[in-house]
Amino acid sequence: MHTRVTGIVIEGGQILMLDQDTDESRSWSLPGGKVEDGESLDEALVREMREETGLDVEVGRLLYVCDHMKAHVVHITFEARRIGGQIGAVTEGADTRPIRKVAFVALGDLPSLGFSERFVKLCRDSFPGAGSYLGPKSAIGL
């Protein structure tokens, strides 16, 4: 089992997303990736966000921890805040799956991109119970 960190950046009712192939049926996902040997969780998230979105972020509170048993992955998701960088300045080749687009997407548009109403509600409500282990990814609506 390996560890993956993801970041949720929400600004003005929009969430930062990546358009790229995923293991799921949807093509949009949260930015983030595998924690490398010798990296702390926040170092990994800062690196992944810069590589995949072009943004420099400050890592905020822990939002949730969940399992993706089929892929043998533990997902640890943090709130993140943009502090610099340029959206879309993706590091070419840093990700095994090419990133087609980086964009802020309206929370209300997430269901049309394959995200559940549960996930939208968690985002709108600022993740009540933040910092909890929520079980399988499906518990978050992912």
Side-chain angles (χ1 to χ4, degrees):
M1 186 154 306
H2 70 270
T3 304
R4 187 173 193 278
V5 291
T6 49
I8 292 183
V9 179
I10 297 176
E11 295 178 0
Q14 297 185 316
I15 185 170
L16 184 64
M17 302 293 285
L18 302 178
D19 179 6
Q20 72 178 150
D21 295 331
T22 68
D23 294 332
E24 310 297 326
S25 58
R26 62 179 188 269
S27 67
W28 287 84
S29 62
L30 296 170
K34 186 177 177 183
V35 177
E36 302 292 341
D37 289 340
E39 270 186 323
S40 66
L41 296 175
D42 62 335
E43 288 169 341
L45 184 58
V46 166
R47 175 185 52 76
E48 286 286 346
M49 294 291 281
R50 186 178 304 117
E51 289 174 358
E52 293 187 345
T53 71
L55 296 184
D56 295 317
V57 300
E58 177 180 82
V59 178
R61 66 193 172 121
L62 173 65
L63 296 179
Y64 59 83
V65 176
C66 67
D67 304 313
H68 185 36
M69 296 306 291
K70 190 170 80 180
H72 303 290
V73 175
V74 173
H75 284 263
I76 303 174
T77 302
F78 293 91
E79 191 171 59
R81 187 174 65 85
R82 178 187 352 193
I83 57 172
Q86 179 182 342
I87 193 167
V90 175
T91 304
E92 290 298 323
D95 206 288
T96 54
R97 297 174 179 159
I99 296 168
R100 291 181 287 270
K101 186 175 182 180
V102 180
F104 276 94
V105 174
L107 291 174
D109 291 345
L110 288 177
S112 68
L113 301 177
F115 289 84
S116 71
E117 290 292 341
R118 168 138 174 81
F119 183 73
V120 174
K121 183 167 176 30
L122 286 168
C123 290
R124 284 194 170 129
D125 295 345
S126 276
F127 290 87
S132 300
Y133 169 66
L134 296 180
K137 271 177 69 174
S138 58
I140 296 111
L142 296 175

